Amino acid sequence: MPGAIYAEGLVKTFGEVRALDGVDLDVPEGTVLGLLGPNGAGKTTAVRVLTTLLQPDSGRAVVAGIDVLKHPNEVRRSIGLSGQFAAVDEYLTGRENLQMVGQLYQMSGRDAKKRAVQLLERFNLSDAADRTAKTYSGGMRRRLDLAAALVVSPPVMFMDEPTTGLDPRNRQQLWEVIQELVAGGTTLLLTTQYLEEADHLAHDICVIDHGKVIARGTSDQLKARTGGERVEVVVHQPDQIEPARAVLATYGKGEISLAEHTRKLTVPVTGGAKLLAEVIRDLDSHGVEIDDIGLRRPTLDDVFISLTGHAAELERANGEGGSTRAAKGPKEDGQ
C-alpha cells in the first residue's frame, strides 16, 4: 500500500531541461525521507509538484491518500509547507502573521492566538512578537516562516531546506520540533543542504541527480554501498604531503584525496583500528610528522562522490560520521 507520500514516474521539463526524469518516491506514514542531491538535481521541483504548486508533464502523485492532480485543494488542506525562502508578511508583526495563518485554516480567533503564543515561544521569537516582520533578521524571518508552517500540525509536512540561515542553536531546536512532530505521527519529506541533518533526522535517504533517483536507503545502507573506512592524515608541514601519500598508497583501496589548505590526505582502507596502528608506525619510520590521524566511516559526502562522480554541492556539516582518532598534536581547524 502506498505511503503517506507517493510518486510514480514524475516527469517535468523546462524547455530543454529535464528537471524530473521519472522520479519514484514512497514515504511511509510517520517517517522522514531526506531528499538529497547536488544543486539543480530536481529536489525543489519534486517538492513543488507534490505540494500542488507545479503540474508534472507526466506521472502520478498521491499525498495523504489524495491524488495531487485530481484533488489539489484537498491536498493543500492536508499538508504544511516551508519553502526555501521565508514567506511572511513583513508589514505584520510576528504574532499577527501566525494568527493570520491560523485563521486562514479556519481556527477560532482564540485558538489562533493561543497557538501563536506557543510557536513564538518555541522558536525563541517571544521578545519580537509585536515587532513587524520587516525589522526581523534573516534568521528570525526563517524561524517565523517555519512556525507558520506548523500552526495546524498537518499530517504531512514538506520542508525545503528548512534550516538554511539558522545558527547551530536554532537548527538544533528545529530538529527537536521535527522529531516531536514525527513521534506524533507526522510524515515529513525534507530536502536539506546539511548532510548531518539528513543523517540525524531521516529514516530513509533518497539521492537524486539530474532529475533521477540514483540511490535510496538508510544512512548506514548508503554508506555501506560506498564501502570500507577512511584513514585521514594531517601532516605537520606541506613538504611532507608527498612522503605521506607514498605511505598511504601502500594501504589504500582507492584514490587518495588531498585538501592542501589543511594538509589532510584521505584514503579508503580496510582493516580497522589495527591497520591504523600500522599506518602510524610506517609514517613514523619514514620521518613523516603528523598533527592528526584518524579512522572514520564513510560520510554522506563520500556517498555523493561515489554515486555521482563529483563532490556534492552541499555545505558540509562538522561531526558527520563516527571517528576513531589517535592524535599526535592539536587538531587542525575545520577537521
Side-chain angles (χ1 to χ4, degrees):
M1 184 175 180
I5 303 172
Y6 176 79
E8 182 179 0
L10 290 181
V11 173
K12 182 62 183 179
T13 58
F14 299 96
E16 296 182 356
V17 177
R18 202 169 179 87
L20 297 179
D21 192 8
V23 168
D24 298 331
L25 297 172
D26 192 356
V27 189
E29 185 175 343
T31 67
V32 180
L33 175 68
L35 192 60
L36 305 182
N39 292 335
K43 305 184 299 296
T44 296
T45 301
V47 169
R48 292 181 67 194
V49 168
L50 292 168
T51 56
T52 78
L53 298 177
L54 192 65
Q55 283 211 350
D57 298 327
S58 61
R60 175 172 174 253
V62 177
V63 173
I66 307 165
D67 190 292
V68 170
L69 295 178
K70 293 180 180 178
H71 307 290
N73 288 333
E74 291 183 31
V75 171
R76 291 170 196 147
R77 285 192 286 268
S78 303
I79 65 174
L81 169 64
S82 176
Q84 287 189 19
F85 305 102
V88 299
D89 189 324
E90 62 179 17
Y91 293 102
L92 297 179
T93 66
R95 189 189 310 277
E96 289 168 343
N97 265 283
L98 297 182
Q99 289 177 189
M100 177 185 69
V101 172
Q103 289 173 331
L104 287 172
Y105 275 101
Q106 299 183 338
M107 295 174 68
S108 69
R110 181 178 179 179
D111 288 344
K113 288 179 181 179
K114 182 178 178 181
R115 184 60 174 157
V117 170
Q118 293 171 343
L119 290 168
L120 288 164
E121 182 177 352
R122 191 70 180 88
F123 284 90
N124 290 327
L125 291 170
S126 295
D127 291 344
D130 296 311
R131 285 168 40 193
T132 56
K134 67 180 179 181
T135 68
Y136 284 16
S137 67
M140 292 170 69
R141 289 189 186 204
R142 190 67 179 138
R143 281 146 53 198
L144 181 61
D145 182 65
L146 291 165
L150 298 174
V151 166
V152 295
S153 299
V156 178
M157 282 286 302
F158 294 86
M159 292 188 174
D160 194 8
E161 300 183 11
T163 60
T164 298
L166 297 185
D167 60 37
R169 178 188 173 196
N170 284 302
R171 184 175 300 129
Q172 181 65 46
Q173 288 177 334
L174 178 62
W175 289 359
E176 292 172 2
V177 171
I178 290 173
Q179 289 171 325
E180 290 171 5
L181 286 170
V182 175
T186 299
T187 304
L188 173 64
L189 189 149
L190 168 77
T191 78
T192 178
Q193 287 188 337
Y194 298 99
L195 300 177
E196 183 189 17
E197 189 161 85
D199 231 354
H200 189 80
L201 294 173
H203 297 87
D204 278 323
I205 293 171
C206 183
V207 183
I208 186 171
D209 196 18
H210 298 295
K212 294 183 177 181
V213 174
I214 59 174
R216 176 164 180 170
T218 65
S219 177
D220 286 342
Q221 287 170 342
L222 292 179
K223 291 173 184 177
R225 284 184 55 173
T226 305
E229 299 163 308
R230 269 72 176 151
V231 166
E232 294 180 339
V233 176
V234 178
V235 299
H236 187 63
Q237 296 291 343
D239 61 4
Q240 295 178 320
I241 288 175
E242 290 310 314
R245 190 196 297 271
V247 171
L248 293 176
T250 64
Y251 297 94
K253 302 298 181 181
E255 183 179 350
I256 299 171
S257 63
L258 169 66
E260 289 194 48
H261 66 292
T262 57
R263 307 180 305 284
K264 182 174 75 173
L265 298 97
T266 304
V267 62
V269 298
T270 57
K274 181 179 178 181
L275 177 77
L276 184 62
E278 294 175 10
V279 173
I280 293 172
R281 287 194 295 268
D282 208 353
L283 289 168
D284 188 58
S285 68
H286 284 78
V288 177
E289 186 177 356
I290 61 175
D291 288 338
D292 194 17
I293 186 168
L295 179 71
R296 65 166 175 80
R297 298 174 58 211
T299 65
L300 286 179
D301 214 7
D302 297 322
V303 171
F304 270 91
I305 295 172
S306 173
L307 292 172
T308 68
H310 55 81
E313 299 171 45
L314 303 174
E315 295 182 45
R316 292 168 175 81
N318 289 334
E320 201 271 338
S323 174
T324 304
R325 290 196 171 272
K328 294 184 68 175
K331 198 172 181 180
E332 288 290 318
D333 291 343
Q335 297 301 299

